[in-house]
Amino acid sequence: MKNGMSDEFERMSDALQELEEALESRHESEIAVTAEVLLLALTSTPEMAEIFAACEVSIDELTRTLEQHLEETMPIRALDDEDGMQAFQRILLRAQAVGEKSGPKEFSIGNMLVALFAEYQTFSVSELNRLGVTRWDVENYISHGGPRSKPEYPGVIAQNNMEAEDWTVAECAWRLGVSQSTLSRWLKGRIGLSASMALALQRIGWCTAEYWMHMQVSYDLACERQRQAAALTIAQGSRKPATNQQ
């Protein structure tokens, strides 16, 4: 299988195999390869370290929380975690689909991470969101290879979740207990995220209310910084003394 596959895929596969062996040895039983096991394996790859460095987020903190979560849940999940294994298979298929858009047999750790974000109800995605790493950050890094320019608007994340659930705006509004007009205006950025909307998003299982409020504040601050920086540049330009002309 390695022929034609990228070096990144080989590194990911090797890291996953080593982690599986370590966990099975520790718990003296076979384990289910879940989204959390996969993400923990990815943290040991150089590509993942580069992505987190670009996002200005500590990969060590993610590693610690994943290890603690697995230690607490592994004894009761073992190999019969069918939901976890199905999530792992879905991630692989999505990563392959993302890679095919970039070219034949193209694979990257970034593709795998993007695919993982669709499993938004998992502990893995919850932790990534808590640390401030979003799907948009990873896609931005894949496209441009540099630090993120601005946090993703939270409405975009909600739209991604809606697409994953195959929900229309009307159905999502009904589940949230808000009007279709209110949801549509927020998704389009015409109104800010309210505390009640954040709690409604938490109620349907889309991360915590604190996460959504943090995302909105981060986005608003980034927008205001850009606005003030642009205004300062214009003001400084207008204050430049005129040069003496002969």
Side-chain angles (χ1 to χ4, degrees):
M1 183 176 181
K2 290 186 177 181
N3 290 334
M5 287 296 183
S6 68
D7 292 339
E8 290 186 41
F9 185 87
E10 291 185 26
R11 283 193 287 271
M12 188 275 291
S13 299
D14 291 342
L16 185 57
Q17 182 176 353
E18 290 177 6
L19 178 59
E20 283 184 79
E21 293 174 352
L23 290 172
E24 289 174 356
S25 173
R26 191 178 308 166
H27 296 284
E28 298 183 349
S29 64
E30 291 187 90
I31 65 163
V33 180
T34 63
E36 288 71 42
V37 173
L38 173 62
L39 184 58
L40 183 56
L42 294 180
T43 60
S44 66
T45 63
E47 295 79 8
M48 187 77 161
E50 291 174 4
I51 292 172
F52 267 62
C55 293
E56 300 178 348
V57 173
S58 170
I59 198 169
D60 292 336
E61 183 176 354
L62 175 63
T63 301
R64 287 195 299 272
T65 57
L66 286 171
E67 288 177 343
Q68 180 179 353
H69 175 77
L70 287 172
E71 284 301 312
E72 293 174 351
T73 61
M74 193 63 68
I76 61 175
R77 296 175 74 171
L79 192 62
D80 59 352
D81 187 355
E82 185 174 347
D83 290 340
M85 296 181 72
Q86 288 178 348
F88 174 71
Q89 293 297 325
R90 288 194 297 267
I91 293 168
L92 289 179
L93 291 174
R94 288 194 204 99
Q96 182 180 4
V98 172
E100 288 175 351
K101 294 180 181 178
S102 303
K105 299 180 181 178
E106 188 70 23
F107 177 90
S108 74
I109 299 301
N111 293 343
M112 183 68 75
L113 196 53
V114 168
L116 190 148
F117 272 102
E119 302 295 325
Y120 58 85
Q121 293 182 328
T122 62
F123 179 82
S124 293
V125 176
S126 175
E127 276 303 292
L128 288 169
N129 289 336
R130 184 184 67 82
L131 293 172
V133 180
T134 69
R135 175 177 173 173
W136 181 88
D137 291 324
V138 181
E139 291 178 337
N140 179 66
Y141 179 82
I142 293 173
S143 300
H144 306 293
R148 54 183 168 189
S149 56
K150 185 169 66 175
E152 186 171 22
Y153 178 63
V156 175
I157 300 173
Q159 288 178 321
N160 290 338
N161 290 350
M162 288 169 58
E163 291 177 4
E165 296 280 9
D166 197 22
W167 290 350
T168 63
V169 173
E171 182 176 0
C172 187
W174 175 79
R175 291 176 180 274
L176 291 170
V178 301
S179 69
Q180 185 174 338
S181 173
T182 297
L183 177 59
S184 180
R185 290 167 62 202
W186 173 61
L187 292 174
K188 295 177 181 178
R190 295 176 181 171
I191 59 174
L193 176 70
S194 66
S196 60
M197 178 72 82
L199 287 169
L201 291 165
Q202 175 179 288
R203 189 170 58 250
I204 64 173
W206 289 1
C207 300
T208 64
E210 289 79 7
Y211 159 72
W212 290 104
M213 296 302 292
H214 171 74
M215 283 293 297
Q216 184 70 55
V217 170
S218 297
Y219 178 82
D220 291 342
L221 283 172
C223 289
E224 182 60 20
R225 285 194 184 100
Q226 289 187 350
R227 188 194 68 78
Q228 291 189 13
L232 181 62
T233 299
I234 294 173
Q236 289 175 337
S238 65
R239 290 198 298 266
K240 285 184 178 180
T243 57
N244 295 327
Q245 297 183 357
Q246 300 295 333

